[in-house]
Amino acid sequence: MFARHGKKSIQTILFYRFLSVTAALLIIVSAIVYLIQYTKMYKNMENDIIRTSSSIGDAIDLQISQMDNICLNVINSTSVKDTFAEWSQNKNTSAYERRQQQNQLNNSLVSIRGIDTSIRQVNLYSMESGGYGVGNYYGRLSKSTADLPWYKGAVEKDGYRFFQADSHPLLSRHSGTETDRFYFSLYRMYFDNYHNPAGFVEVSKYYDELFEEALSPTTSSSIDITVYDEDGRQIYPDTASGGEKRFDYFTKLNSRDLSSHSARIYNDLKQQKEFVTVCPLDYSGFTVTASINNTGFYTPILASLMWIPLLALSLFVVCYFVAGFLSRRLAQPLTEMHQFLSQSDSAGKFRQISLKDSGVIEIDRLRDSLNSSIRAQEAATESLLVMKESEIQAQMLALQAQMNPHFLYNSLNTIGAMAEEGMTEEVTSMCQDITSILRYISSDKESVSTVEEELEHCSLYLNCMKMRFKDKFTYEFDIGDDLLDLKIPKLCIQLLIENSVKFVSKTAPPWHIRIEGYIDAGQWLISVKDNGPGFDPEVDRHLRSQMDEILKYSRLPSLELDGMGILNIFIRFYLLFGSSFLFQFGNLPEGGAFVIVGGRFHEKDQTL
C-alpha cells in the first residue's frame, strides 16, 4: 500500500473506504446507543435520588406521626391532665396522696408511651412551674417552663406542632448515655375546658435515630440530605449539634415551579451547579431536599457508559483487521494480474492468468477478458512471427542470391587469369572445387550452416587460391573443436575470406590469411585476419555509418556487388539474431585487416 505522486493502490483505497464506512457506522450506532443509554441512566439517576429523598421523607413522617400520636393521646387523656394538674398545683395534699398521684401519672404516661422504645421521653409541663417526665428520666422537672428555649415557639404555635432539636444532659445522664446526646422533640400546647392555655406536652426521640435514613441514604449516589420545617428552618443537619449550614434550598426552590420535584440550581456557597430534588412531607409539613453536584451526578452515569466507547473501540479494531483482510482479498487478484502482465516472458510463450474464482463477478470477468486477450495476442503474434520469419528468410535468400554472382564473378576472373598463365590442370581442379562451392552456396533450403560445413567449403576455395598463387599465398585455420557444431549464417566466413583474398592480392606478396575460432567469456568468436592494405579510412567510416543506421532505424540499404561483403554479412547477422551479436572490423597494428563475428555461446545446444 504505497502512494506515488498522489496515487494510491486499490488495496489502500478499499482499505480506507471499508474502514471509513465501518467507522462511520460504528460512530452513528454508538452515538445512538450512547444517547439512549445516557437518557435512560439520566432518568434512573434522577428517579433514584427522588426515590431516596421520598423514602427518607416517609421514614421521618412516620416517626413524627408516632410522636404526634403519643402527644395527642396525652392531650386527649382527661385523667392524665387532671392528675398532672392536681400534682403540679400541690393543693394541700399529703405526701401519701402525692405519691399516689405520681404513681398514677407514671402509669398513665408509660401506658400512653407504649412499647415503642424509640420514644425516649414524654414530658408534661405546666404553663410556669415546671413539669413531670417519664422515659430516660422519671420524676419532677423543676426548671421553670417559661425559661425553656422552646417555650416561646410553642406558645406562638397556639396548640399546633412545634419542633425543637436540642441536647438534654439530664435525660442523657439518667439514661447512661453520653451527656451530649442530641434529641429531637415535638411540642404541643394544650388548653382547659375554657380554651385557656393549661400546659405543654413534649415527646422526644434521639436525633440521630429520627434522621437515621438521612444520615445513611440507601443509594450509591453521594447526595446531601437537608430537612426544613414548615417555616423553612433547617432542622437537619442541625447547626446546634455541629451540622453545617446548608445552602437555603427551601427559599430557592419555593421560588420555582417544582411540579417536576427536581431542579438544577447554582449553589452560591459551594460555587457549583447542583441537581436538587424536593419532597414535601404530607403529615409533618417538613420539606426534604436531596442535592448532588454535577460532577457527582454525571460521573456514575459516564462511568457506567464507558463500555459503549470501549466496545466501539474493540469493534473498530476488529473492523480494522476485517477491512485489511477484505481489501487484500479483493485487491490480491488485481495485484497478481498486474504482476503477471508486468513480467516479461523470457521463454516467448503466452501464459494465461491462472487465478481461482475470487467470488467477485467483475474481477472474474476481467481475468477471463485478459485471458481471451492473451490468447488473441498469442495467435496474432504467432501469425506475425510466421510472416516475419518468412520475410527474414526471403531477405536472407536475397542476400545469398546477391553473393552467388559475386562469388562467380571473382571465380571467373581467377580462372581467366590462371588460363592465361597456362595452368590447365589447376584450372580443371579449380573448376571442380568451384562447382562444389556453387552447389553449396546456391542451396536455398537453409540460411544457416555449421562451422564445420562452412570451413570445408572455405578450404576448397582457399585451395583454389593456393593453386593460382602458389608460394605467394598461405593460409591457416585455428578453430576449436567445440565450435564445429555451432550454427552460423551460411557463407559468412566464405565471404570474409573472399574479401581478404581480393584486397591482400593487391599488395606485394607474400600474402597470408589466418582464420581463428575460440570461446572467450561465454562468447564464441571467429576472426579472419590478413596482411593486406587494411581498410581505407573513408570506407571504414562509410561502413560504420551504414551499420549504425541499420541498428538505429532497422532500415536495410541497397547493396551492390562491388564492396558488398562486409555489410552483407552484418545485415545477415542482424536479420537472423537482431542486435544480440558481435561484429567488429578494423586494421591490425602490424598491418593488415581483421573482421571478428561472434555471439553468446550456449553449451546446451551449441546454438546462438
Side-chain angles (χ1 to χ4, degrees):
M1 298 185 293
F2 298 98
R4 296 180 179 178
H5 306 295
K7 297 182 179 180
K8 298 179 180 178
S9 67
I10 188 170
Q11 181 175 341
T12 302
I13 295 173
L14 290 175
F15 173 77
Y16 284 112
R17 290 289 172 84
F18 288 152
L19 198 61
S20 59
V21 170
T22 53
L25 290 176
L26 279 175
I27 291 173
I28 293 172
V29 173
S30 299
I32 293 174
V33 173
Y34 194 93
L35 182 61
I36 294 173
Q37 291 297 319
Y38 174 82
T39 304
K40 181 179 179 181
M41 295 293 295
Y42 186 93
K43 290 296 182 183
N44 288 343
M45 179 67 78
E46 281 189 342
N47 293 335
D48 180 62
I49 297 174
I50 292 173
R51 281 194 302 268
T52 301
S53 61
S54 178
S55 175
I56 293 171
D58 291 341
I60 294 174
D61 231 13
L62 178 61
Q63 296 184 78
I64 294 297
S65 67
Q66 292 172 346
M67 295 171 66
D68 200 26
N69 285 336
I70 294 173
C71 185
L72 291 174
N73 288 335
V74 172
I75 292 174
N76 292 328
S77 176
T78 304
S79 62
V80 171
K81 291 189 292 183
D82 290 343
T83 303
F84 175 70
E86 292 175 0
W87 177 83
S88 62
Q89 291 174 6
N90 194 15
K91 295 179 179 180
N92 301 319
T93 57
S94 64
Y96 173 78
E97 289 177 335
R98 290 183 59 75
R99 283 195 299 272
Q100 289 295 326
Q101 291 172 349
Q102 185 172 330
N103 288 336
Q104 184 179 353
L105 194 58
N106 275 341
N107 293 334
S108 299
L109 291 176
V110 169
S111 177
I112 293 174
R113 176 190 171 196
I115 61 174
D116 187 1
T117 58
S118 65
I119 304 297
R120 305 311 304 174
Q121 188 73 26
V122 177
N123 295 329
L124 275 172
Y125 294 94
S126 64
M127 291 302 295
E128 296 178 358
S129 59
Y132 187 84
V134 296
N136 285 1
Y137 170 76
Y138 285 82
R140 176 184 291 275
L141 301 171
S142 58
K143 194 171 184 179
S144 175
T145 305
D147 295 333
L148 295 175
W150 50 264
Y151 178 82
K152 183 178 181 181
V155 171
E156 290 177 354
K157 286 294 184 180
D158 194 28
Y160 194 67
R161 293 185 299 255
F162 178 75
F163 300 98
Q164 180 74 38
D166 202 355
S167 61
H168 284 287
L170 177 64
L171 300 182
S172 298
R173 185 169 59 251
H174 282 80
S175 67
T177 59
E178 62 272 17
T179 57
D180 59 351
R181 189 72 179 263
F182 216 65
Y183 291 81
F184 188 83
S185 301
L186 181 151
Y187 301 90
R188 276 185 182 269
M189 184 173 67
Y190 64 91
F191 304 88
D192 59 15
N193 294 333
Y194 302 101
H195 201 71
N196 296 315
F200 302 90
V201 179
E202 176 187 14
V203 179
S204 300
K205 269 196 172 191
Y206 286 139
Y207 185 87
D208 53 357
E209 289 184 0
L210 177 65
F211 295 105
E212 181 179 6
E213 293 287 337
L215 286 168
S216 302
T218 56
T219 179
S220 58
S221 303
S222 178
I223 61 175
D224 293 327
I225 301 297
T226 308
V227 183
Y228 299 91
D229 65 9
E230 294 173 311
D231 300 324
R233 291 186 305 139
Q234 178 181 317
I235 58 177
Y236 175 84
D238 193 270
T239 54
S241 63
E244 63 174 332
K245 176 64 178 176
R246 297 278 176 85
F247 177 74
D248 189 4
Y249 298 108
F250 185 86
T251 303
K252 188 75 172 180
L253 293 172
N254 279 342
S255 64
R256 301 177 59 141
D257 178 16
L258 295 179
S259 58
S260 62
H261 300 285
S262 63
R264 289 197 176 273
I265 63 174
Y266 184 77
N267 189 325
D268 296 327
L269 294 179
K270 294 183 178 180
Q271 301 294 313
Q272 62 185 11
K273 269 200 165 186
E274 293 180 334
F275 174 78
V276 182
T277 64
V278 57
C279 179
L281 305 185
D282 295 331
Y283 186 84
S284 64
F286 292 172
T287 300
V288 178
T289 63
S291 60
I292 182 172
N293 59 44
N294 281 352
T295 302
F297 185 88
Y298 289 109
T299 299
I301 298 176
L302 298 178
S304 62
L305 295 178
M306 280 301 296
W307 65 271
I308 296 177
L310 291 177
L311 178 61
L313 181 61
S314 301
L315 291 176
F316 179 79
V317 173
V318 173
C319 291
Y320 180 89
F321 290 105
V322 172
F325 171 77
L326 291 177
S327 62
R328 283 194 301 272
R329 182 175 180 182
L330 293 177
Q332 185 64 28
L334 299 176
T335 302
E336 291 182 8
M337 283 188 278
H338 175 265
Q339 292 176 349
F340 177 87
L341 296 175
S342 301
Q343 292 174 352
S344 59
D345 195 351
S346 59
K349 298 179 181 178
F350 289 86
R351 295 181 295 110
Q352 295 191 26
I353 303 173
S354 57
L355 291 177
K356 296 180 180 179
D357 288 342
S358 64
V360 181
I361 296 176
E362 289 77 6
I363 294 178
D364 293 340
R365 285 179 177 175
L366 176 61
R367 176 202 60 196
D368 296 338
S369 298
L370 289 174
N371 284 336
S372 299
S373 177
I374 290 173
R375 288 193 294 271
Q377 186 180 3
E378 181 181 9
T381 303
E382 288 179 355
S383 300
L384 183 62
L385 288 176
V386 171
M387 295 174 61
K388 187 68 176 178
E389 185 176 355
S390 300
E391 180 184 1
I392 292 175
Q393 184 70 17
Q395 289 176 323
M396 292 286 288
L397 292 175
L399 290 169
Q400 186 172 326
Q402 283 184 312
M403 292 173 61
N404 292 342
H406 179 274
F407 172 76
L408 185 59
Y409 172 78
N410 290 338
S411 300
L412 289 176
N413 284 337
T414 302
I415 292 173
M418 293 173 65
E420 289 178 356
E421 296 175 5
M423 302 171 63
T424 306
E425 294 180 1
E426 289 81 353
V427 169
T428 302
S429 177
M430 185 173 181
C431 287
Q432 293 175 350
D433 292 339
I434 290 175
T435 300
S436 298
I437 296 172
L438 285 174
R439 188 180 296 113
Y440 169 68
I441 66 177
S442 61
S443 174
D444 58 356
K445 292 181 179 180
E446 292 186 6
S447 59
V448 295
S449 63
T450 64
V451 172
E452 186 176 13
E453 290 175 340
E454 184 77 4
L455 293 178
E456 287 178 359
H457 292 85
C458 290
S459 180
L460 292 176
Y461 175 77
L462 289 171
N463 284 335
C464 293
M465 298 301 104
K466 182 67 176 175
M467 284 187 291
R468 176 184 177 188
F469 297 116
K470 304 294 182 181
D471 295 335
K472 296 178 182 180
F473 178 73
T474 58
Y475 66 90
E476 60 178 318
F477 288 97
D478 185 9
I479 304 294
D481 292 339
D482 49 359
L483 290 181
L484 295 180
D485 292 330
L486 182 70
K487 291 187 176 182
I488 59 176
K490 194 174 184 180
L491 300 175
C492 66
I493 301 177
Q494 166 75 27
L495 193 54
L496 291 176
I497 292 175
E498 283 190 51
N499 280 336
S500 293
V501 172
K502 175 182 177 181
F503 288 102
V504 76
S505 61
K506 293 180 180 180
T507 61
W511 307 311
H512 181 73
I513 295 177
R514 177 178 174 82
I515 301 95
E516 296 179 348
Y518 54 93
I519 296 174
D520 182 27
Q523 286 188 319
W524 67 269
L525 301 170
I526 296 178
S527 65
V528 177
K529 300 178 182 179
D530 61 56
N531 61 346
F535 287 97
D536 182 75
E538 183 62 28
V539 173
D540 183 285
R541 185 196 62 76
H542 180 66
L543 287 175
R544 294 185 188 278
S545 175
Q546 286 187 305
M547 292 177 184
D548 290 340
E549 186 174 351
I550 291 171
L551 293 175
K552 184 176 181 180
Y553 299 107
S554 300
R555 186 168 55 213
L556 303 181
S558 59
L559 299 176
E560 299 177 356
L561 291 179
D562 188 18
M564 51 96 53
I566 297 295
L567 195 57
N568 183 300
I569 295 170
F570 179 85
I571 294 173
R572 293 178 71 204
F573 268 84
Y574 175 74
L575 290 175
L576 192 60
F577 303 114
S579 58
S580 60
F581 67 94
L582 177 67
F583 195 96
Q584 296 179 354
F585 66 93
N587 296 327
L588 296 169
E590 64 273 14
F594 73 91
V595 179
I596 301 175
V597 294
R600 293 191 61 184
F601 181 75
H602 301 270
E603 295 182 356
K604 181 178 179 181
D605 53 9
Q606 291 188 332
T607 58
L608 283 175

